[in-house]
Amino acid sequence: MGRLADFVVRLHDRVFGVVERGLDGWFLGLAARFAFAGVLFGYYWNSALTKIEPGLFGFFRIRDAAYFQILPPVVEAYGYNPSAVPTVPWGIVVALGTYAEFLLPVLIVAGLFTRIAALGMIVFVVVQSYVDIAFHGVDAKTVGSLFDRFPDSAIMDQRTLWLFLLSVLVVKGAGAVSVDGLLRRLRGARPA
């Protein structure tokens, strides 16, 4: 039994050593960005579109809805009148949140400044989750909990997976198949 076990361990190490060496430096970052593009890019892009006015120049005009989505208690404090909400700091917060929802996903999918963009998205998801729980009145089933037998809650279960995906990008970077990888090669730098 000892020889068989040794053989299986050596075979395992060889096979997965080849797989690991073949995929190292390019696959994980590419796969994480592909998963982000397929699952979250459209979600955030469409959410961001609800915060700006339509049309070619609408990108530069933030809708009142953005204030209600991002800062519900602040809008409430100003009598539900977004135009009464002070620009400093609240208007700036809404503008940064709105444009971050466009910019950070684009940077991640392109693989440009990926680690910083993924870190920014982690902060974004945490703040988004807090606002959803504290101010948008989501119910306990939607919030869910970890380590239960229900894997389908929108906040704890789904967003934990989102955070893991983004954490992979923070730790490993975008990989060789990315704008970051291209810039690194042009600089002659070693992969991070």
Side-chain angles (χ1 to χ4, degrees), residues 3 39 45 63-64 70-71 75 86 88 98 102 119-120 134 139 150 163-164 170-171 175 186:
R3 287 184 188 178
V39 175
W45 190 264
R63 288 183 178 177
D64 289 349
I70 296 172
L71 298 171
V75 177
V88 177
T98 298
F102 281 111
L119 189 59
D139 61 12
F150 305 107
L163 294 174
F164 176 75
V170 169
V171 172
L186 290 174

Side-chain angles (χ1 to χ4, degrees), residues 139-158:
D139 61 12
K141 183 177 181 341
T142 302
V143 174
S145 65
L146 297 176
F147 308 109
D148 61 7
R149 61 187 177 100
F150 305 107
D152 61 348
S153 70
I155 306 264
M156 293 303 288
D157 294 325
Q158 288 182 17

Side-chain angles (χ1 to χ4, degrees), residues 4-32:
L4 179 60
D6 288 344
F7 171 76
V8 170
V9 168
R10 282 195 313 276
L11 179 64
H12 172 274
D13 291 348
R14 280 191 190 132
V15 169
F16 288 103
V18 168
V19 169
E20 189 174 342
R21 285 187 298 278
L23 300 179
D24 191 40
W26 69 272
F27 177 76
L28 198 56
L30 179 63

Side-chain angles (χ1 to χ4, degrees), residues 45-110:
W45 190 264
N46 286 320
S47 175
L49 287 174
T50 68
K51 295 175 178 77
I52 60 168
E53 295 293 338
L56 181 62
F57 296 104
F59 184 79
F60 301 104
R61 294 192 50 223
I62 294 177
R63 288 183 178 177
D64 289 349
Y67 286 83
F68 287 98
Q69 291 177 43
I70 296 172
L71 298 171
V74 173
V75 177
E76 180 182 4
Y78 286 91
Y80 295 99
N81 180 4
S83 63
V85 174
T87 300
V88 177
W90 304 120
I92 294 170
V93 168
V94 170
L96 289 174
T98 298
Y99 294 120
E101 207 166 12
F102 281 111
L103 181 62
L104 296 175
V106 168
L107 291 174
I108 288 170
V109 171

Side-chain angles (χ1 to χ4, degrees), residues 116-190:
I116 294 168
L119 189 59
M121 281 303 303
I122 287 171
V123 171
F124 195 97
V125 170
V126 169
V127 170
Q128 172 190 11
S129 300
Y130 172 74
V131 169
D132 286 346
I133 293 167
F135 304 113
H136 289 299
V138 296
D139 61 12
K141 183 177 181 341
T142 302
V143 174
S145 65
L146 297 176
F147 308 109
D148 61 7
R149 61 187 177 100
F150 305 107
D152 61 348
S153 70
I155 306 264
M156 293 303 288
D157 294 325
Q158 288 182 17
R159 294 185 188 171
T160 297
L161 293 173
W162 298 359
L163 294 174
F164 176 75
L165 176 68
L166 292 164
S167 296
V168 167
L169 291 170
V170 169
V171 172
K172 296 296 282 183
V177 184
S178 65
V179 177
D180 288 341
L182 175 64
L183 293 173
R184 192 171 33 258
R185 286 189 298 279
L186 290 174
R187 283 192 354 253
R190 296 176 49 105

